[in-house]
Amino acid sequence: DGGITQSPKYLFRKEGQNVTLSCEQNLNHDAMYWYRQDPGQGLRLIYYSQIVNDFQKGDIAEGYSVSREKKESFPLTVTSAQKNPTAFYLCASSPGGTGGYEQYFGPGTRLTVT
Amino acid sequence: RKEVEQDPGPFNVPEGATVAFNCTYSNSASQSFFWYRQDCRKEPKLLMSVYSSGNEDGRFTAQLNRASQYISLLIRDSKLSDSATYLCVVRCLDTGGFKTIFGAGTRLFVKA
């Protein structure tokens, strides 16, 4: 089945630790995105990548880092510099170009930092 | 002013009712429009794209009004399973290139 997977579904970490969230897609999509959603709020863009080995900062990139070494994978690292890391993290992908711009989401990772 | 604005609701409607949501956008260079549905504690899922001529998918109808810069979603014959948050999404041309903006969503509760 084609789709986007994120792991783990729930993640608990202590303050001061870096943590990496996984995102994999087998849709052959060029573009991938990371969003953060806080309770009762909309999605905020952290980072996005339109092509392998290239990525750009979104609206709230501070305290986060990404890599795009493979088309299928776009992992997000939440560093200890991120002041309020507890949130619901969503990864998405889209075909891009003539394939269309609608985004398809993975099931998300709920990160709790205490 | 927010780039994409939605009435947060909640809209509480009985089963079988017709309900409509509007969403306004501020960037006149907006080019692509979508409605997503998000269930509680789940990921958003694409409901439908919105075309200039308007489009319908079963009980759902989406319309675009470029002159007034808003899109709408009409749900007919509401079902209990329609209860969710509906997100308006706009793709527009900005100074740094294209960007996709998600509205904060409108909550719908359909009651028996």
Side-chain angles (χ1 to χ4, degrees), chain A residues 43-101:
Chain A
L43 279 67
R44 292 187 288 168
L45 181 64
I46 304 172
Y47 268 97
Y48 65 101
S49 167
Q50 294 179 311
I51 197 167
V52 176
N53 292 321
D54 188 41
F55 49 82
Q56 287 78 41
K57 292 181 179 180
D59 300 318
I60 55 164
E62 186 176 347
Y64 300 98
S65 66
V66 293
S67 62
R68 185 88 187 274
E69 296 175 3
K70 298 187 299 182
K71 189 175 185 177
E72 303 79 24
S73 180
F74 191 39
L76 173 75
T77 296
V78 184
T79 76
S80 56
Q82 168 49 232
K83 290 184 173 34
N84 296 295
T86 295
F88 185 36
Y89 290 88
L90 289 157
C91 178
S93 70
S94 68
T98 55
Y101 299 103

Side-chain angles (χ1 to χ4, degrees), chain B residues 3 11 47-48 50 57-58 74-75 85-86 88 90-91 105 108:
Chain B
E3 294 177 280
F11 285 61
L47 182 63
M48 56 200 305
V50 187
D57 182 3
L74 181 79
I75 305 175
T85 297
Y86 291 84
C88 166
V90 175
R91 186 170 184 269
L108 171 65

Side-chain angles (χ1 to χ4, degrees), chain A residues 9-10 35 37 41-43 48 88 90 101-108 110, chain B residues 32 34 36 38 41-46 49 87 91 96 98 100 102-104:
Chain A
K9 191 171 182 179
Y10 297 96
Y35 293 91
Q37 187 174 38
Q41 297 190 32
L43 279 67
Y48 65 101
F88 185 36
L90 289 157
Y101 299 103
E102 60 275 14
Q103 295 183 18
Y104 298 90
F105 287 84
R110 289 195 181 275
Chain B
S32 303
F34 310 94
Y36 281 72
Q38 186 173 24
R41 298 179 68 81
K42 299 283 191 183
E43 76 274 23
K45 293 187 177 176
L46 179 66
S49 301
L87 309 179
R91 186 170 184 269
F98 282 98
T100 300
F102 286 76

